[in-house]
Amino acid sequence: MTDLSPLFQPLTLPCGTVLKNRIAKSAMSDSMGDGRGNPGPGHARLYERWADGGTALSFIGEVQGDASAAEKPGNLVLGPHTDRLAIADLTQRARRGGALIFAQLGHAGAMAHPPISRPRGPSALALPGLTCDALSAEEIATLPAQFAATAKMAQGLGFSGVQIHAAHGFLLSQFLSPLFNHRTDDHGGRIQNRMRLLLGVIQAVRAATGLAFPIALKLNATDQLAGGLSEGEALQVAEALDDTTIDLLDISGGTYFPGAPSASDRTTQGAYFAGFAQSARRVFRKPIMLTGGVKTARQALDIITDGTADVVGLARALVLYPDLPNQWRAGAALTPQFPRFQAPPEGGITAWYTMRLTDIGLDQRPSFPNLPDAVAAYDARDAARTRLWRDAFGAQ
């Protein structure tokens, strides 16, 4: 029997916060909000189940501070419309058994959902499936304070920490990527300029929340798109991040660009970005989390014992088995069995897993065993919540 005990050793972050083990539930677009920026049915129960299942840390994505820059109408929004009691209930239940919950601070930028948002990115783009305006210098200047205000509100509502989202093609990732960022001012050009906004956001969030509040950051190892952020440039960003006050670097990759394959849908074996994490170790001296492609206890164990990363991020495995950490801790080296879909439409697999999240939160068996029904239900729910969003926040 494989000794999995290294996965269940605690980890102390630089700020002093302790993770009870090395298994985290990576951020996903839960899409479980009620359409008005607040938790929807089963949302709090979902995170309670992951806490009860032994996960040390869950990231809830995406939590928006600007309703005009949302990724989906199921996102949470922290602001004047927030149902504080509902959010506080979610965070309390997500912290059962010593688990932690971090709010992933999102801003979709150019990838904002047009029916409810105003897509705005580093540069104006007019591409098939993606059209956006450019943010002005004045608008960019307001962003660090906006992220900081959202982080401060999250802190007050019981979140254990926050994660600044600079991956997967959302706003801060867009500034890092030459594919999105064609600016010629001090936020464009060389990578030192393209990371300027990100560093400003970190500084503002830390100033707002204090030194004892955990700040994680999610970074792309690569955009996995021609012309996007390269691994070499991503390492320069990681090196710059070592001089900041973040407590945990979450390494992932890929971009939700129209027509681009999702990193989560890859069929290769093992952690997708382990090589980058090993390289990042040489320039980033604080704890590293590795997300993407980890499917077995053996893979998770090797990542920890060989020093590739300090925390293993799981997503779809914890959708299929919410109590997977407890099973592993009990000695069951369970290998999750992932469903296979024939010729899935773009976003179809994500839709299937998203609908499964709702089932978990409602304590019910899978409602949509086949992909077409799951996609239809997902689309219908988004259409209904789009109307609610526009009623709550107005036309953007």
Side-chain angles (χ1 to χ4, degrees):
M1 182 178 295
T2 302
D3 178 13
L4 299 178
S5 61
L7 287 173
F8 297 95
Q9 297 301 310
L11 174 69
T12 303
L13 299 180
C15 65
T17 293
V18 178
L19 277 63
K20 67 179 183 179
N21 64 47
R22 306 303 182 93
I23 301 171
K25 196 286 293 182
S26 300
M28 295 178 280
S29 180
D30 297 350
S31 202
M32 284 187 65
D34 65 356
R36 299 180 177 89
N38 295 306
H43 211 167
R45 173 60 177 150
L46 171 66
Y47 281 85
E48 183 178 57
R49 287 192 63 177
W50 278 322
D52 288 344
T55 302
L57 166 62
S58 288
F59 295 90
I60 184 167
E62 289 188 14
V63 179
Q64 307 288 348
D66 181 356
S68 74
E71 170 256 351
K72 280 287 185 179
N75 289 166
L76 297 180
V77 180
L78 296 187
H81 294 77
T82 297
D83 183 338
R84 290 173 174 267
L85 291 178
I87 295 287
D89 175 63
L90 188 156
T91 59
Q92 180 180 21
R93 294 169 70 178
R95 300 195 313 268
R96 281 168 54 117
L100 306 177
I101 181 168
F102 285 17
Q104 185 185 62
L105 306 182
H107 186 304
M111 307 289 281
H113 192 47
I116 60 170
S117 300
R118 289 192 297 128
R120 295 157 291 164
S123 304
L125 298 174
L127 302 170
L130 178 61
T131 301
C132 74
D133 295 326
L135 287 162
S136 68
E138 293 75 19
E139 288 173 319
I140 294 171
T142 68
L143 290 169
Q146 181 187 116
F147 275 89
T150 309
K152 184 65 175 175
M153 188 170 182
Q155 184 181 29
L157 290 172
F159 284 97
S160 312
V162 295
Q163 182 186 69
I164 297 169
H165 195 359
H168 299 163
F170 296 113
L171 182 70
L172 297 177
S173 174
Q174 291 161 22
F175 270 87
L176 295 176
S177 174
L179 185 67
F180 287 91
N181 187 344
H182 308 152
R183 299 182 73 92
T184 57
D185 60 10
D186 58 1
H187 285 96
R190 62 193 187 118
I191 187 61
Q192 289 77 11
N193 285 350
R194 284 183 272 131
M195 72 172 83
R196 188 183 302 274
L197 174 60
L198 174 61
L199 298 179
V201 167
I202 295 168
Q203 186 176 27
V205 170
R206 176 58 74 199
T209 58
L211 292 175
F213 191 65
I215 299 175
L217 186 137
K218 192 164 196 172
L219 177 70
N220 266 4
T222 168
D223 287 350
Q224 296 185 320
L225 291 172
L229 183 72
S230 67
E231 289 196 8
E233 288 185 327
L235 280 175
Q236 292 183 64
V237 178
E239 185 172 14
L241 292 173
D242 190 53
D243 291 328
T244 71
T245 60
I246 67 169
D247 298 287
L248 179 68
L249 178 61
D250 181 6
I251 293 170
S252 188
T255 301
Y256 295 117
F257 196 82
S262 169
S264 300
D265 296 341
R266 291 168 60 168
T267 57
T268 53
Q269 296 297 311
Y272 304 145
F273 309 107
F276 179 86
Q278 291 162 358
S279 297
R281 278 287 198 199
R282 296 194 288 269
V283 298
F284 186 83
R285 293 164 293 181
K286 290 178 280 190
I288 288 176
M289 173 173 157
L290 183 58
T291 295
V294 182
K295 296 179 170 64
T296 70
R298 181 80 251 180
Q299 291 168 347
L301 179 67
D302 288 346
I303 286 167
I304 300 302
T305 56
D306 68 14
T308 297
D310 305 283
V311 181
V312 177
L314 305 177
R316 291 179 175 179
L318 288 170
V319 178
L320 299 174
Y321 305 90
D323 64 343
L324 187 60
N326 280 349
Q327 294 199 44
W328 283 352
R329 185 163 196 164
L334 172 68
T335 297
Q337 299 301 307
F338 292 83
R340 293 284 180 257
F341 302 103
Q342 294 297 319
E346 182 177 341
I349 298 177
T350 296
W352 187 90
Y353 278 94
T354 301
M355 298 310 295
R356 180 68 189 115
L357 291 178
T358 302
D359 290 332
I360 296 170
L362 296 176
D363 292 309
Q364 62 190 25
R365 297 179 64 82
S367 302
F368 304 100
N370 68 72
L371 191 62
D373 287 349
V375 172
Y378 177 88
D379 289 343
R381 187 173 69 174
D382 264 6
R385 290 188 302 196
T386 292
R387 293 188 291 271
L388 295 173
W389 190 284
R390 293 171 68 88
D391 287 342
F393 300 108
Q396 304 297 337

